[in-house]
Coordinates of all heavy atoms in Angstrom, one line a residue:
L18 N 83.6 -129.6 -48.4 CA 82.2 -129.8 -48.4 C 81.6 -129.2 -49.7 O 81.9 -128.2 -50.1 CB 81.5 -128.9 -47.2 CG 82.1 -129.3 -45.8 CD1 81.5 -128.4 -44.8 CD2 81.8 -130.7 -45.4
T19 N 80.8 -130.2 -50.4 CA 80.3 -129.8 -51.8 C 79.0 -129.8 -52.0 O 78.5 -129.4 -53.0 CB 81.1 -130.7 -52.7 OG1 80.7 -132.1 -52.4 CG2 82.5 -130.6 -52.8
S20 N 78.2 -130.4 -51.2 CA 76.8 -130.4 -51.4 C 76.0 -129.5 -50.2 O 76.8 -128.9 -49.5 CB 76.2 -131.7 -51.3 OG 76.7 -132.5 -52.3
T21 N 74.9 -129.4 -50.2 CA 74.1 -128.7 -49.3 C 72.7 -129.3 -48.8 O 72.1 -129.9 -49.6 CB 73.8 -127.2 -49.8 OG1 73.3 -126.4 -48.8 CG2 72.8 -127.1 -50.9
A22 N 72.4 -129.0 -47.6 CA 71.0 -129.4 -47.1 C 70.3 -128.0 -46.9 O 70.9 -127.1 -46.3 CB 71.2 -130.1 -45.8
Y23 N 69.2 -127.9 -47.4 CA 68.3 -126.7 -47.2 C 67.6 -126.6 -46.1 O 67.0 -127.6 -45.5 CB 67.4 -126.5 -48.5 CG 68.1 -126.4 -49.6 CD1 68.2 -127.5 -50.7 CD2 68.8 -125.2 -50.1 CE1 68.8 -127.3 -51.9 CE2 69.5 -125.1 -51.2 CZ 69.5 -126.1 -52.2 OH 70.1 -126.0 -53.4
V24 N 67.5 -125.5 -45.4 CA 66.6 -125.2 -44.2 C 65.4 -124.3 -44.6 O 65.7 -123.2 -45.2 CB 67.5 -124.5 -43.1 CG1 66.6 -124.3 -41.9 CG2 68.6 -125.4 -42.7
F25 N 64.3 -124.7 -44.3 CA 63.1 -123.9 -44.6 C 62.4 -123.5 -43.4 O 62.4 -124.3 -42.3 CB 62.1 -124.6 -45.6 CG 62.7 -124.9 -46.9 CD1 63.4 -126.1 -47.1 CD2 62.3 -124.1 -48.0 CE1 63.9 -126.4 -48.3 CE2 62.7 -124.4 -49.3 CZ 63.5 -125.6 -49.4
K26 N 61.8 -122.3 -43.3 CA 60.9 -121.9 -42.2 C 59.5 -122.4 -42.6 O 59.0 -122.4 -43.7 CB 60.9 -120.4 -42.1 CG 62.0 -119.8 -41.4 CD 61.8 -118.3 -41.1 CE 63.0 -117.8 -40.4 NZ 62.9 -116.4 -40.0
R27 N 58.7 -122.9 -41.6 CA 57.3 -123.3 -41.8 C 56.5 -122.3 -42.4 O 55.6 -122.5 -43.2 CB 56.7 -123.8 -40.5 CG 57.3 -125.1 -40.0 CD 56.6 -125.6 -38.7 NE 57.3 -126.8 -38.3 CZ 56.9 -127.4 -37.2 NH1 55.7 -127.1 -36.6 NH2 57.4 -128.6 -36.8
S28 N 56.8 -121.0 -42.0 CA 56.0 -119.9 -42.6 C 56.4 -119.5 -44.1 O 55.6 -118.8 -44.7 CB 56.1 -118.8 -41.7 OG 57.5 -118.3 -41.6
S29 N 57.4 -120.1 -44.5 CA 57.9 -119.8 -45.9 C 58.5 -121.0 -46.5 O 59.8 -121.0 -46.6 CB 58.9 -118.5 -45.8 OG 59.3 -118.2 -47.1
L30 N 57.8 -121.8 -47.1 CA 58.3 -123.0 -47.6 C 58.8 -122.8 -49.2 O 59.2 -123.8 -49.9 CB 57.3 -124.2 -47.5 CG 57.1 -124.7 -46.1 CD1 55.9 -125.8 -46.0 CD2 58.3 -125.2 -45.4
S31 N 58.5 -121.5 -49.6 CA 58.8 -121.4 -51.1 C 60.4 -121.3 -51.4 O 60.7 -121.4 -52.5 CB 58.0 -120.1 -51.7 OG 58.4 -119.0 -50.8
S32 N 61.1 -120.8 -50.4 CA 62.5 -120.7 -50.7 C 63.3 -121.0 -49.3 O 62.8 -120.6 -48.2 CB 62.9 -119.4 -51.1 OG 62.6 -118.2 -50.2
P33 N 64.5 -121.6 -49.5 CA 65.2 -121.8 -48.2 C 65.8 -120.6 -47.5 O 66.1 -119.6 -48.2 CB 66.5 -122.8 -48.7 CG 66.5 -122.5 -50.2 CD 65.1 -122.0 -50.7
V34 N 65.8 -120.6 -46.2 CA 66.4 -119.6 -45.4 C 68.0 -119.9 -45.1 O 68.7 -118.9 -44.8 CB 65.7 -119.2 -44.2 CG1 64.3 -118.8 -44.4 CG2 65.8 -120.5 -43.3
A35 N 68.4 -121.0 -45.3 CA 69.8 -121.4 -45.1 C 70.2 -122.5 -45.9 O 69.4 -123.4 -46.4 CB 70.0 -121.6 -43.6
H36 N 71.5 -122.6 -46.1 CA 72.1 -123.8 -46.8 C 73.3 -124.3 -45.8 O 74.1 -123.5 -45.6 CB 72.8 -123.3 -48.2 CG 71.8 -122.7 -49.1 ND1 71.1 -123.4 -50.1 CD2 71.4 -121.4 -49.3 CE1 70.5 -122.5 -50.8 NE2 70.6 -121.3 -50.3
L37 N 73.1 -125.6 -45.6 CA 74.1 -126.2 -44.7 C 75.0 -127.1 -45.5 O 74.6 -128.1 -46.0 CB 73.4 -127.0 -43.6 CG 72.4 -126.2 -42.8 CD1 71.7 -127.1 -41.8 CD2 73.1 -125.1 -42.0
P38 N 76.2 -126.8 -45.7 CA 77.1 -127.6 -46.5 C 77.4 -129.0 -45.9 O 77.4 -129.2 -44.7 CB 78.4 -126.8 -46.5 CG 78.1 -125.5 -45.9 CD 77.0 -125.5 -45.1
T39 N 77.4 -130.0 -46.9 CA 77.7 -131.4 -46.4 C 78.7 -131.8 -47.6 O 78.9 -131.2 -48.6 CB 76.4 -132.3 -46.4 OG1 75.8 -132.3 -47.7 CG2 75.5 -131.9 -45.4
T40 N 79.3 -133.0 -47.4 CA 80.3 -133.6 -48.4 C 79.7 -134.1 -49.5 O 80.2 -134.1 -50.7 CB 81.2 -134.6 -47.7 OG1 80.4 -135.7 -47.1 CG2 82.1 -134.0 -46.5
K41 N 78.4 -134.9 -49.3 CA 77.7 -135.3 -50.4 C 76.3 -135.2 -50.0 O 75.9 -134.7 -48.9 CB 78.0 -136.8 -50.4 CG 79.4 -137.2 -50.9 CD 79.6 -138.6 -51.1 CE 81.1 -138.8 -51.7 NZ 81.4 -140.2 -51.8
P42 N 75.3 -135.4 -50.9 CA 74.0 -135.1 -50.7 C 73.4 -135.7 -49.3 O 73.8 -136.9 -49.0 CB 73.1 -135.9 -51.8 CG 74.2 -136.0 -53.0 CD 75.4 -136.0 -52.2
A43 N 72.7 -134.9 -48.6 CA 72.1 -135.4 -47.3 C 71.2 -136.5 -47.4 O 70.3 -136.5 -48.3 CB 71.4 -134.2 -46.6
I44 N 71.3 -137.5 -46.4 CA 70.2 -138.6 -46.4 C 69.4 -138.5 -45.1 O 68.3 -139.2 -45.1 CB 71.0 -139.9 -46.4 CG1 71.9 -140.1 -45.3 CG2 71.6 -140.1 -47.8 CD1 72.4 -141.4 -45.1
A45 N 69.8 -137.8 -44.0 CA 69.2 -137.7 -42.8 C 69.5 -136.4 -42.2 O 70.6 -135.8 -42.2 CB 69.3 -138.8 -42.0
A46 N 68.6 -135.8 -41.4 CA 68.9 -134.6 -40.5 C 68.1 -134.8 -39.2 O 66.8 -135.0 -39.3 CB 68.6 -133.4 -41.2
R47 N 68.7 -134.6 -38.2 CA 68.0 -134.7 -36.9 C 68.4 -133.6 -35.9 O 69.6 -133.4 -35.7 CB 68.3 -136.1 -36.2 CG 68.0 -137.3 -36.9 CD 66.5 -137.5 -37.0 NE 66.3 -138.8 -37.8 CZ 66.0 -138.9 -39.0 NH1 66.0 -137.9 -39.8 NH2 65.9 -140.1 -39.6
F48 N 67.4 -133.0 -35.4 CA 67.7 -132.0 -34.3 C 67.8 -132.7 -33.0 O 67.1 -133.7 -32.7 CB 66.6 -131.0 -34.1 CG 66.8 -129.9 -34.9 CD1 66.0 -129.7 -36.1 CD2 67.6 -128.8 -34.6 CE1 66.2 -128.6 -36.9 CE2 67.7 -127.7 -35.4 CZ 66.9 -127.5 -36.6
C49 N 68.8 -132.4 -32.1 CA 68.8 -132.9 -30.7 C 67.6 -132.4 -29.9 O 67.2 -131.2 -30.1 CB 70.1 -132.4 -30.1 SG 70.4 -132.9 -28.4
R50 N 67.0 -133.3 -29.0 CA 65.8 -132.7 -28.4 C 66.1 -131.9 -27.2 O 65.2 -131.3 -26.7 CB 65.1 -134.1 -27.9 CG 64.6 -134.9 -28.9 CD 63.9 -136.1 -28.4 NE 63.7 -137.2 -29.4 CZ 63.3 -138.4 -29.1 NH1 63.0 -138.9 -27.9 NH2 63.1 -139.2 -30.2
S51 N 67.4 -131.8 -26.9 CA 67.7 -130.9 -25.6 C 68.0 -129.6 -26.2 O 68.7 -129.4 -27.2 CB 68.9 -131.5 -24.9 OG 68.7 -132.8 -24.4
A52 N 67.7 -128.6 -25.4 CA 68.1 -127.2 -25.7 C 69.1 -126.8 -24.7 O 69.2 -127.3 -23.6 CB 66.9 -126.3 -25.4
F53 N 70.1 -126.0 -25.3 CA 71.3 -125.6 -24.5 C 71.4 -124.1 -24.3 O 70.9 -123.3 -25.2 CB 72.6 -126.1 -25.1 CG 72.7 -127.6 -25.4 CD1 72.2 -128.1 -26.7 CD2 73.0 -128.5 -24.4 CE1 72.1 -129.5 -26.9 CE2 73.1 -129.8 -24.6 CZ 72.6 -130.3 -25.8
A54 N 71.9 -123.7 -23.3 CA 72.0 -122.2 -22.9 C 73.1 -121.7 -23.9 O 74.1 -122.3 -24.1 CB 72.3 -122.0 -21.5
H55 N 72.9 -120.4 -24.1 CA 74.0 -119.6 -24.9 C 75.1 -119.3 -23.9 O 74.9 -119.2 -22.7 CB 73.4 -118.3 -25.5 CG 72.6 -118.5 -26.6 ND1 73.0 -118.9 -27.9 CD2 71.1 -118.4 -26.7 CE1 71.9 -119.0 -28.7 NE2 70.9 -118.6 -28.0
D56 N 76.3 -119.1 -24.5 CA 77.4 -118.7 -23.8 C 77.1 -117.2 -23.3 O 76.4 -116.4 -24.2 CB 78.7 -118.6 -24.5 CG 79.2 -120.1 -24.9 OD1 78.8 -120.9 -24.2 OD2 79.8 -120.2 -25.9
A57 N 77.5 -116.8 -22.2 CA 77.1 -115.3 -21.8 C 77.6 -114.4 -22.7 O 77.0 -113.4 -23.0 CB 77.8 -115.2 -20.4
S58 N 78.8 -114.6 -23.4 CA 79.3 -113.6 -24.3 C 78.6 -113.6 -25.7 O 78.7 -112.7 -26.3 CB 80.8 -114.0 -24.6 OG 80.9 -115.2 -25.1
A59 N 77.9 -114.7 -26.0 CA 77.2 -114.8 -27.3 C 75.7 -114.6 -27.1 O 74.9 -114.6 -28.2 CB 77.4 -116.1 -27.8
Q60 N 75.1 -114.3 -26.0 CA 73.7 -114.3 -25.9 C 73.1 -113.3 -26.6 O 72.1 -113.6 -27.3 CB 73.4 -114.0 -24.3 CG 71.9 -114.1 -24.0 CD 71.2 -115.3 -24.2 OE1 71.6 -116.3 -23.8 NE2 70.0 -115.1 -24.7
E61 N 73.6 -112.1 -26.6 CA 72.8 -111.0 -27.5 C 72.9 -111.2 -29.0 O 72.0 -111.1 -29.7 CB 73.5 -109.6 -27.1 CG 72.8 -108.4 -27.8 CD 73.4 -107.2 -27.5 OE1 73.9 -107.0 -26.3 OE2 73.3 -106.2 -28.2
E62 N 74.1 -111.6 -29.4 CA 74.3 -112.0 -30.8 C 73.4 -113.0 -31.3 O 72.9 -113.0 -32.4 CB 75.8 -112.2 -31.2 CG 76.2 -112.3 -32.6 CD 76.0 -111.1 -33.4 OE1 76.1 -110.0 -32.8 OE2 75.7 -111.2 -34.5
A63 N 73.3 -114.1 -30.5 CA 72.4 -115.4 -30.9 C 71.0 -115.0 -31.1 O 70.4 -115.5 -31.9 CB 72.7 -116.4 -29.9
T64 N 70.5 -114.0 -30.4 CA 69.0 -113.7 -30.6 C 68.8 -112.9 -31.8 O 67.7 -112.6 -32.1 CB 68.6 -113.0 -29.3 OG1 69.3 -111.8 -29.1 CG2 68.6 -113.9 -28.1
K65 N 69.9 -112.5 -32.5 CA 69.8 -111.7 -33.7 C 69.9 -112.5 -35.0 O 69.7 -112.0 -36.2 CB 70.8 -110.5 -33.7 CG 70.6 -109.5 -32.7 CD 71.6 -108.5 -32.7 CE 71.4 -107.5 -31.5 NZ 72.5 -106.5 -31.5
G66 N 70.4 -113.7 -34.8 CA 70.8 -114.5 -36.0 C 69.6 -115.2 -36.8 O 68.5 -114.8 -36.5
L67 N 69.9 -116.0 -37.7 CA 68.9 -116.6 -38.5 C 67.8 -117.3 -37.7 O 66.6 -117.1 -38.0 CB 69.7 -117.6 -39.5 CG 68.6 -118.6 -40.2 CD1 67.9 -117.7 -41.2 CD2 69.4 -119.7 -41.0
F68 N 68.3 -118.0 -36.7 CA 67.3 -118.7 -35.9 C 66.6 -117.9 -34.7 O 65.6 -118.1 -34.3 CB 67.8 -120.0 -35.4 CG 68.2 -121.0 -36.4 CD1 69.5 -121.2 -36.9 CD2 67.3 -121.8 -37.0 CE1 69.7 -122.1 -37.9 CE2 67.5 -122.7 -38.0 CZ 68.8 -122.9 -38.5
A69 N 67.4 -116.9 -34.3 CA 67.0 -115.9 -33.3 C 66.3 -116.6 -32.1 O 65.1 -116.2 -31.8 CB 66.1 -114.9 -33.9
L70 N 66.9 -117.6 -31.5 CA 66.3 -118.4 -30.3 C 67.0 -118.0 -29.1 O 68.1 -117.6 -29.0 CB 66.6 -119.9 -30.6 CG 65.9 -120.5 -31.9 CD1 66.4 -121.9 -31.9 CD2 64.5 -120.4 -31.7
P71 N 66.2 -118.0 -28.0 CA 66.8 -117.8 -26.6 C 67.7 -118.9 -26.1 O 68.1 -118.9 -24.9 CB 65.6 -117.5 -25.8 CG 64.5 -118.3 -26.3 CD 64.8 -118.2 -27.9
Y72 N 67.8 -120.0 -26.8 CA 68.7 -121.2 -26.6 C 69.3 -121.7 -27.7 O 69.0 -121.1 -28.9 CB 67.7 -122.3 -25.9 CG 66.4 -122.4 -26.8 CD1 66.5 -123.3 -27.9 CD2 65.2 -121.8 -26.5 CE1 65.3 -123.5 -28.7 CE2 64.1 -122.1 -27.3 CZ 64.2 -122.8 -28.4 OH 63.1 -123.0 -29.2
R73 N 70.2 -122.7 -27.6 CA 70.9 -123.3 -28.7 C 70.3 -124.6 -29.0 O 70.0 -125.4 -28.0 CB 72.4 -123.4 -28.5 CG 73.1 -122.1 -28.3 CD 74.6 -122.2 -27.9 NE 75.1 -123.5 -28.1 CZ 75.6 -124.2 -27.2 NH1 75.6 -123.9 -25.9 NH2 76.2 -125.4 -27.4
L74 N 70.2 -125.1 -30.3 CA 69.9 -126.4 -30.6 C 71.1 -127.0 -31.5 O 71.8 -126.2 -32.2 CB 68.6 -126.5 -31.5 CG 67.3 -126.1 -30.7 CD1 66.2 -125.9 -31.7 CD2 67.1 -127.0 -29.6
L75 N 71.3 -128.4 -31.5 CA 72.2 -129.1 -32.3 C 71.4 -129.7 -33.3 O 70.4 -130.4 -33.2 CB 73.0 -130.0 -31.4 CG 73.9 -129.4 -30.4 CD1 74.6 -130.4 -29.7 CD2 74.8 -128.3 -30.9
L76 N 71.9 -129.7 -34.6 CA 71.4 -130.4 -35.7 C 72.5 -131.2 -36.5 O 73.5 -130.7 -36.6 CB 70.9 -129.3 -36.8 CG 70.5 -129.9 -38.1 CD1 69.1 -130.8 -38.0 CD2 70.1 -128.7 -39.0
A77 N 72.2 -132.5 -36.6 CA 73.2 -133.4 -37.2 C 72.6 -133.7 -38.6 O 71.4 -133.9 -38.8 CB 73.3 -134.7 -36.4
V78 N 73.4 -133.5 -39.7 CA 73.1 -133.8 -41.0 C 74.0 -134.9 -41.6 O 75.2 -134.7 -41.4 CB 73.2 -132.6 -41.9 CG1 72.8 -132.8 -43.3 CG2 72.4 -131.4 -41.3
A79 N 73.4 -135.9 -42.0 CA 74.2 -137.2 -42.5 C 74.2 -137.2 -44.0 O 73.2 -137.1 -44.6 CB 73.7 -138.5 -42.0
S80 N 75.3 -137.5 -44.6 CA 75.4 -137.8 -46.0 C 75.8 -139.3 -45.9 O 75.8 -139.8 -44.9 CB 76.4 -137.0 -46.8 OG 77.8 -137.2 -46.3
V81 N 76.1 -139.8 -47.2 CA 76.4 -141.3 -47.2 C 77.8 -141.6 -46.6 O 78.1 -142.7 -46.2 CB 76.4 -141.9 -48.7 CG1 75.0 -141.8 -49.2 CG2 77.3 -141.1 -49.6
D82 N 78.6 -140.6 -46.5 CA 79.9 -140.8 -45.9 C 80.5 -140.0 -44.6 O 81.6 -140.1 -44.1 CB 81.1 -140.7 -47.0 CG 81.2 -139.3 -47.5 OD1 80.4 -138.5 -47.1 OD2 82.1 -139.1 -48.3
S83 N 79.6 -139.1 -44.2 CA 80.0 -138.2 -43.1 C 78.8 -137.6 -42.4 O 77.7 -137.7 -42.9 CB 80.9 -137.1 -43.6 OG 80.2 -136.1 -44.4
V84 N 79.0 -137.0 -41.2 CA 77.9 -136.4 -40.4 C 78.6 -135.0 -40.1 O 79.6 -134.8 -39.7 CB 77.7 -137.1 -39.1 CG1 76.8 -136.3 -38.3 CG2 77.1 -138.5 -39.4
V85 N 77.7 -133.9 -40.3 CA 78.1 -132.6 -39.9 C 77.1 -132.2 -39.0 O 75.9 -132.4 -39.0 CB 78.0 -131.7 -41.2 CG1 78.5 -130.2 -40.9 CG2 78.8 -132.1 -42.4
V86 N 77.7 -131.6 -37.8 CA 77.0 -131.2 -36.7 C 77.0 -129.6 -36.6 O 78.0 -129.0 -36.7 CB 77.4 -131.8 -35.4 CG1 76.5 -131.3 -34.2 CG2 77.5 -133.3 -35.4
Y87 N 75.8 -129.0 -36.6 CA 75.6 -127.6 -36.5 C 75.0 -127.1 -35.2 O 74.2 -127.9 -34.5 CB 74.6 -127.2 -37.6 CG 75.2 -127.4 -39.0 CD1 74.9 -128.5 -39.7 CD2 76.0 -126.4 -39.6 CE1 75.4 -128.7 -41.1 CE2 76.5 -126.6 -40.9 CZ 76.3 -127.7 -41.5 OH 76.8 -127.9 -42.8
D88 N 75.3 -125.9 -34.7 CA 74.8 -125.3 -33.6 C 74.1 -124.1 -34.0 O 74.6 -123.3 -34.7 CB 76.0 -125.0 -32.6 CG 75.6 -124.3 -31.3 OD1 74.6 -123.6 -31.3 OD2 76.3 -124.4 -30.4
T89 N 72.8 -123.9 -33.6 CA 72.0 -122.9 -34.1 C 72.6 -121.5 -33.8 O 72.3 -120.5 -34.2 CB 70.5 -122.9 -33.7 OG1 70.5 -123.0 -32.2 CG2 69.9 -124.0 -34.3
G90 N 73.5 -121.6 -32.7 CA 74.1 -120.3 -32.3 C 75.4 -119.9 -32.9 O 76.1 -118.9 -32.6
K91 N 75.8 -120.7 -33.8 CA 77.1 -120.5 -34.5 C 76.8 -120.6 -36.1 O 76.2 -121.4 -36.6 CB 78.2 -121.6 -34.1 CG 78.4 -121.6 -32.6 CD 79.6 -122.4 -32.2 CE 79.8 -122.5 -30.7 NZ 80.2 -121.2 -30.1
P92 N 77.7 -119.9 -36.8 CA 77.5 -119.8 -38.3 C 78.2 -120.9 -39.0 O 77.9 -121.3 -40.1 CB 78.1 -118.4 -38.6 CG 79.2 -118.2 -37.6 CD 78.5 -118.8 -36.3
E93 N 79.1 -121.6 -38.3 CA 79.9 -122.6 -39.1 C 79.6 -124.0 -38.4 O 79.2 -124.0 -37.1 CB 81.5 -122.4 -38.9 CG 81.9 -121.1 -39.6 CD 81.7 -121.2 -41.1 OE1 81.9 -122.3 -41.6 OE2 81.2 -120.2 -41.7
P94 N 79.8 -125.2 -38.9 CA 79.6 -126.5 -38.3 C 80.5 -126.6 -37.0 O 81.7 -126.0 -37.1 CB 80.1 -127.4 -39.3 CG 80.1 -126.7 -40.6 CD 80.3 -125.4 -40.3
I95 N 80.1 -127.2 -36.1 CA 80.9 -127.4 -34.9 C 81.6 -128.8 -34.9 O 82.6 -129.1 -34.2 CB 80.1 -127.3 -33.6 CG1 79.0 -128.4 -33.5 CG2 79.6 -125.9 -33.4 CD1 78.3 -128.5 -32.2
A96 N 81.3 -129.7 -35.9 CA 81.9 -130.9 -36.1 C 81.7 -131.5 -37.5 O 80.6 -131.4 -37.9 CB 81.5 -132.0 -35.0
V97 N 82.7 -132.2 -38.0 CA 82.5 -133.0 -39.3 C 83.2 -134.2 -39.0 O 84.4 -134.4 -38.6 CB 83.2 -132.2 -40.4 CG1 83.1 -133.0 -41.7 CG2 82.6 -130.8 -40.8
I98 N 82.3 -135.3 -39.1 CA 82.7 -136.7 -38.7 C 82.7 -137.5 -40.0 O 81.7 -137.6 -40.5 CB 81.9 -137.3 -37.7 CG1 81.7 -136.3 -36.4 CG2 82.4 -138.6 -37.2 CD1 80.6 -136.5 -35.5
G99 N 83.8 -138.2 -40.3 CA 83.8 -139.0 -41.5 C 84.7 -140.2 -41.2 O 85.5 -140.3 -40.3
G100 N 84.7 -141.1 -42.2 CA 85.4 -142.4 -42.1 C 85.1 -143.4 -41.0 O 85.9 -144.0 -40.5
I101 N 83.8 -143.3 -40.6 CA 83.5 -144.0 -39.3 C 82.9 -145.4 -39.7 O 82.7 -146.2 -38.8 CB 82.6 -143.3 -38.3 CG1 81.3 -142.8 -39.1 CG2 83.4 -142.1 -37.8 CD1 80.3 -142.0 -38.3
H102 N 82.4 -145.6 -40.9 CA 81.8 -146.8 -41.2 C 82.4 -147.2 -42.7 O 82.7 -146.3 -43.4 CB 80.2 -146.7 -41.4 CG 79.6 -146.7 -40.1 ND1 79.3 -148.0 -39.6 CD2 79.1 -145.9 -39.4 CE1 78.6 -147.7 -38.4 NE2 78.6 -146.3 -38.2
L103 N 82.4 -148.5 -43.0 CA 83.0 -148.9 -44.3 C 81.9 -148.9 -45.5 O 82.3 -148.7 -46.5 CB 83.4 -150.4 -44.2 CG 84.6 -150.7 -43.2 CD1 84.9 -152.2 -43.1 CD2 85.8 -149.9 -43.5
A104 N 80.7 -149.1 -45.1 CA 79.4 -148.8 -46.0 C 78.8 -147.5 -45.9 O 79.0 -146.8 -44.9 CB 78.5 -150.0 -45.8
P105 N 78.0 -147.1 -46.8 CA 77.2 -145.9 -46.7 C 76.5 -145.7 -45.4 O 75.8 -146.7 -44.9 CB 76.3 -145.8 -47.9 CG 77.0 -146.7 -48.8 CD 77.7 -147.8 -48.0
L106 N 76.3 -144.5 -44.8 CA 75.6 -144.1 -43.6 C 74.2 -144.4 -44.0 O 73.8 -144.1 -45.2 CB 75.8 -142.7 -43.1 CG 77.3 -142.6 -42.7 CD1 77.5 -141.2 -42.2 CD2 77.9 -143.7 -41.7
S107 N 73.2 -144.7 -43.1 CA 71.8 -144.9 -43.4 C 70.9 -144.0 -42.5 O 69.8 -143.7 -42.9 CB 71.4 -146.3 -43.4 OG 71.7 -146.9 -42.1
D108 N 71.3 -143.6 -41.3 CA 70.4 -142.9 -40.4 C 71.2 -142.4 -39.2 O 72.3 -142.9 -39.0 CB 69.3 -143.7 -39.9 CG 68.0 -143.0 -39.4 OD1 68.0 -141.7 -39.5 OD2 67.0 -143.4 -39.2
L109 N 70.6 -141.5 -38.4 CA 71.2 -141.1 -37.1 C 70.1 -140.6 -36.1 O 68.9 -140.4 -36.6 CB 72.3 -139.9 -37.4 CG 71.6 -138.6 -38.0 CD1 72.4 -137.4 -37.4 CD2 72.0 -138.6 -39.6
S110 N 70.5 -140.7 -34.9 CA 69.5 -140.3 -33.9 C 70.2 -139.9 -32.6 O 71.3 -140.5 -32.3 CB 68.7 -141.5 -33.6 OG 67.7 -141.3 -32.6
W111 N 69.7 -138.8 -32.0 CA 70.3 -138.4 -30.8 C 69.8 -139.0 -29.6 O 68.5 -139.5 -29.6 CB 69.9 -136.9 -30.6 CG 70.6 -135.9 -31.5 CD1 70.1 -135.5 -32.7 CD2 71.9 -135.3 -31.4 NE1 71.1 -134.6 -33.3 CE2 72.2 -134.4 -32.5 CE3 72.9 -135.4 -30.3 CZ2 73.2 -133.8 -32.6 CZ3 74.0 -134.7 -30.5 CH2 74.2 -133.9 -31.6
S112 N 70.4 -139.3 -28.5 CA 69.9 -139.9 -27.3 C 69.0 -138.8 -26.7 O 69.0 -137.6 -26.9 CB 70.9 -140.3 -26.3 OG 71.7 -139.1 -25.9
S113 N 68.1 -139.3 -25.8 CA 67.1 -138.5 -25.1 C 67.7 -137.4 -24.4 O 67.2 -136.3 -24.3 CB 66.1 -139.3 -24.5 OG 66.7 -140.0 -23.4
D114 N 68.8 -137.5 -23.8 CA 69.4 -136.6 -23.0 C 70.4 -135.6 -23.8 O 71.0 -134.7 -23.3 CB 70.3 -137.1 -21.8 CG 71.4 -138.0 -22.2 OD1 71.7 -138.1 -23.5 OD2 72.1 -138.6 -21.3
G115 N 70.6 -135.9 -25.1 CA 71.4 -135.1 -26.0 C 72.9 -135.3 -25.9 O 73.6 -134.6 -26.5
R116 N 73.3 -136.3 -25.1 CA 74.8 -136.6 -25.0 C 75.4 -137.4 -26.0 O 76.6 -137.4 -26.1 CB 75.0 -137.1 -23.6 CG 74.8 -136.1 -22.5 CD 75.0 -136.8 -21.1 NE 74.9 -135.8 -20.0 CZ 75.6 -135.9 -19.1 NH1 76.6 -136.7 -18.9 NH2 75.5 -134.8 -18.2
C117 N 74.6 -138.2 -26.6 CA 75.1 -139.1 -27.7 C 74.4 -139.1 -29.0 O 73.2 -138.9 -29.1 CB 75.0 -140.6 -27.2 SG 76.0 -140.9 -25.6
L118 N 75.2 -139.2 -30.1 CA 74.7 -139.3 -31.4 C 74.9 -140.7 -31.9 O 76.1 -141.0 -32.1 CB 75.1 -138.1 -32.3 CG 74.8 -138.1 -33.7 CD1 73.3 -137.8 -33.8 CD2 75.6 -137.1 -34.5
A119 N 73.8 -141.4 -32.2 CA 74.1 -142.8 -32.8 C 73.9 -142.6 -34.4 O 73.0 -142.0 -34.9 CB 72.9 -143.7 -32.3
I120 N 74.9 -143.4 -35.0 CA 74.9 -143.4 -36.4 C 74.9 -144.7 -36.9 O 75.7 -145.6 -36.6 CB 76.2 -142.6 -36.9 CG1 76.3 -141.2 -36.3 CG2 76.3 -142.4 -38.4 CD1 77.6 -140.5 -36.4
S121 N 74.0 -145.0 -37.9 CA 74.0 -146.4 -38.6 C 74.3 -146.4 -39.9 O 74.4 -145.4 -40.6 CB 72.6 -146.9 -38.4 OG 71.6 -146.2 -39.2
S122 N 74.7 -147.5 -40.3 CA 75.2 -147.7 -41.8 C 74.7 -149.0 -42.3 O 74.2 -149.8 -41.7 CB 76.6 -147.5 -41.9 OG 77.3 -148.7 -41.5
Q123 N 75.0 -149.2 -43.7 CA 74.6 -150.4 -44.3 C 75.4 -151.6 -43.9 O 75.1 -152.7 -44.3 CB 74.5 -150.2 -45.7 CG 73.5 -149.3 -46.2 CD 73.5 -148.9 -47.7 OE1 74.2 -149.5 -48.5 NE2 72.7 -147.9 -48.1
D124 N 76.6 -151.3 -43.2 CA 77.4 -152.4 -42.8 C 77.0 -152.9 -41.4 O 77.7 -153.9 -40.8 CB 78.9 -152.1 -42.9 CG 79.2 -150.9 -41.9 OD1 78.5 -150.6 -41.1 OD2 80.5 -150.6 -42.0
G125 N 75.9 -152.4 -40.8 CA 75.4 -152.9 -39.4 C 75.9 -152.3 -38.3 O 76.4 -151.3 -38.2

C-alpha cells in the first residue's frame, strides 16, 4: 500500500485525523449504511479509539485497481481486494442491508 486517503472530522477540517493506506490514489470512498455491534471483548477499547463510537461502521475506499475495506473498530484494513476488473475501477456502493459491496469499472 503506497498512497493514502485522508479522514477529516467535521469540526476540524484544517488537518486530517487519520490516513488510510491504499495501493494508488483513492477515487471513491463509501461508508456502509448499516451499523454493527462491537465484539464483547473489544467493546471498551473501541470506545477509546479515533472514532470512539458505540458501534462499528465499514468504510470501503477504492483506487483505480483495488478496494480496501476498513472497520472503525480496528486499526488495520479488514480486506484488500484487487485484480477484479480489467479496466480501472470507477465507483462503489454498499447494498442497503450492508451485506454486499458493488464495484464498477470502466470495462462495464
